[in-house]
Amino acid sequence: MTIRLTEDQVFGWSLDQAQRDEELLEALVEIRRSREPAGLTQKAVARFMGTDQANVSQLESGRKNLRRTTLREYAVALGTEIDSK
């Protein structure tokens, strides 16, 4: 089965995806700002998330592909939540 999309459909999908990515990055920045004032190190956050400090560093710097579930785990580790708009 072959699915054929029009140029407008592809553009619309791409635009929607870019907007969702932007929302995730904005949430990451907002949550990231709470880590240091809370006295949490990347290592402590990583322990809460069940990962290592390098992964948290990549997440915070934007070098790691961000999924909503990962962002949610990160938020929980920092004792906050994702603002659902």
Side-chain angles (χ1 to χ4, degrees):
M1 179 168 122
T2 303
I3 298 174
R4 298 189 191 276
L5 300 175
T6 67
E7 205 171 294
D8 286 343
Q9 288 172 315
V10 171
F11 178 76
W13 178 85
S14 297
L15 184 60
D16 288 345
Q17 186 62 49
Q19 288 171 336
R20 285 192 297 273
D21 290 349
E22 182 69 24
E23 290 169 7
L24 284 177
L25 289 174
E26 287 173 7
L28 173 62
V29 168
E30 180 86 19
I31 294 167
R32 165 63 180 89
R33 289 185 180 137
S34 69
R35 181 176 63 76
E36 288 176 355
L40 292 169
T41 64
Q42 287 181 343
K43 191 173 186 175
V45 171
R47 190 170 49 250
F48 286 126
M49 292 176 68
T51 189
D52 58 32
Q53 180 271 330
N55 283 328
V56 173
S57 176
Q58 289 176 348
L59 173 71
E60 289 183 350
S61 70
R63 292 188 312 252
K64 190 168 189 76
N65 193 9
L66 184 61
R67 296 178 311 180
R68 184 166 290 278
T69 55
T70 304
L71 181 60
R72 192 172 296 118
E73 290 172 3
Y74 180 71
V76 168
L78 292 173
T80 188
E81 60 186 73
I82 300 171
D83 183 19
S84 56
K85 296 176 185 177

